């Protein structure tokens, strides 16, 4: 939630850009846009249902016990699963000529969609 709030705050601050001029306008504008994008990326990434991420903890709390216990036990290996999904699968896919970029599918695409939504809600889209 905090990343989403920061993204909206940064997008809202973009409305103050006309008060600036020249290089300062560009520098602040780029940084505010990057703040929106990075906070949305962190928001989506952190909600992946893989322990130790917050999405994994939410999934463990919502799922029935028969499903939540095995998911909770993944926490020790969770970081390895995440790293494999980010680095190893795309590398293997590149060697095989197949698109295995799970990070883009699970995080990049939803982030781009959320970016459009946040910019539209704040009157920038």
């Amino acid at each position: 939630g905090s990343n989403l709030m920061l993204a909206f705050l940064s997008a809202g601050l973009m409305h103050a850009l006309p008060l600036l001029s020249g290089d300062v306008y560009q520098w602040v504008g780029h940084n505010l846009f990057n703040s929106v994008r990075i906070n949305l990326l962190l928001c989506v990434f952190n909600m992946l249902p893989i322990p130790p991420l917050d999405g994994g903890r939410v999934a463990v709390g919502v799922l029935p016990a028969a499903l939540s216990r095995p998911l909770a036990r993944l926490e020790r290996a969770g970081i390895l699963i995440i790293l494999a999904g980010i680095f190893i699968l795309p590398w293997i896919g590149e060697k095989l000529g197949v698109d295995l970029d799970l990070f883009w599918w699970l995080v990049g695409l939803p982030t781009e969609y959320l970016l459009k939504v946040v910019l539209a809600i704040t009157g920038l889209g």
Side-chain angles (χ1 to χ4, degrees):
S2 62
N3 290 116
L4 196 55
M5 286 188 333
L6 286 170
F8 274 104
L9 177 66
S10 297
L13 286 173
M14 286 181 171
H15 288 288
L17 285 175
L19 301 173
L20 306 172
S21 63
D23 291 339
V24 175
Y25 173 89
Q26 279 189 315
W27 184 82
V28 172
H30 286 300
N31 281 299
L32 286 173
F33 185 77
N34 286 337
S35 174
V36 173
R37 178 170 266 154
I38 289 168
N39 277 295
L40 291 175
L41 181 94
L42 289 171
C43 173
V44 172
F45 175 75
N46 201 30
M47 288 308 294
L48 289 176
I50 302 169
L53 301 175
D54 288 341
R57 295 175 200 271
V58 169
V60 166
V62 172
L63 290 171
L67 296 173
S68 68
R69 278 190 222 108
L71 183 61
R73 283 194 296 265
L74 278 178
E75 187 156 359
R76 282 186 239 130
I79 195 68
L80 295 175
I81 294 168
I82 293 166
L83 290 173
I86 292 173
F87 297 109
I88 296 173
L89 275 178
W91 179 75
I92 292 171
E94 183 181 316
K95 299 295 180 194
L96 298 174
V98 180
D99 183 16
L100 295 179
D101 192 357
L102 286 180
F103 186 78
W104 177 250
W105 296 342
L106 297 175
V107 178
L109 290 175
T111 298
E112 292 300 316
Y113 175 76
L114 269 178
L115 180 63
K116 291 175 186 173
V117 169
V118 167
L119 293 178
I121 288 173
T122 56
L124 299 168

